[in-house]
Amino acid sequence: MQPASPSGVLSGVDHYENFPVASVLLPARIRPAVIAIYHFARYADDVADEGDAAPEQRIAELDRLRDALLAPASGDDPAQVAALRPHLAAHGLGVDECLALLSAFRQDVTQTRYADRRQLMDYC
């Protein structure tokens, strides 16, 4: 069961994941970073796709994650961002890829059809 976000966006979301099994195949030195990245991405994807929250609530939660990534670390960071930060720093990774994921998840909430291949590829 996913924990509820402060806005309650994910209340009641439950699904099977096989990533923990696959993660044992990764080198031990990068496993914690990959797991933190995965948890961030899984949470954000669930915000966009799961549960009964209204689109406005989903967007607000995705924006909260984005804003936390863009701001200096604080005691108020969402748990997924707080867990991710040290791994990004330790491996010299920026937040651009995380922001791109959030942009795609935002599109999951706001757009269900794409007019052409270009739009679809932009989403991908």
Side-chain angles (χ1 to χ4, degrees):
M1 174 82 65
Q2 286 282 345
S5 62
S7 60
V9 172
L10 290 182
S11 295
V13 174
D14 190 19
H15 52 75
Y16 170 78
E17 289 296 331
N18 60 9
F19 182 79
V21 174
S23 68
V24 300
L25 301 174
L26 298 170
R29 66 180 172 73
I30 66 167
R31 211 173 287 153
V34 172
I35 290 170
I37 292 167
Y38 173 79
H39 284 295
F40 171 82
R42 173 81 272 146
Y43 175 76
D45 187 42
D46 285 349
V47 166
D49 295 339
E50 302 292 334
D52 297 326
E56 302 80 31
Q57 290 174 290
R58 295 171 189 277
I59 294 295
E61 183 66 6
L62 293 170
D63 288 350
R64 186 175 80 92
L65 294 171
R66 180 205 60 215
D67 293 347
L69 281 170
L70 291 171
S74 75
D76 291 335
D77 280 343
Q80 298 78 11
V81 173
L84 182 62
R85 279 188 194 280
H87 300 291
L88 294 177
H91 294 279
L93 302 171
V95 298
D96 290 347
E97 289 78 11
C98 296
L99 295 173
L101 277 173
L102 292 175
S103 174
F105 297 147
R106 200 175 212 283
Q107 282 180 263
D108 286 346
V109 176
T110 61
Q111 188 166 355
T112 58
R113 295 259 193 238
Y114 296 90
D116 54 34
R117 181 175 173 80
R118 183 195 59 73
Q119 282 188 355
L120 179 61
M121 295 310 292
D122 179 63
Y123 165 74
C124 293

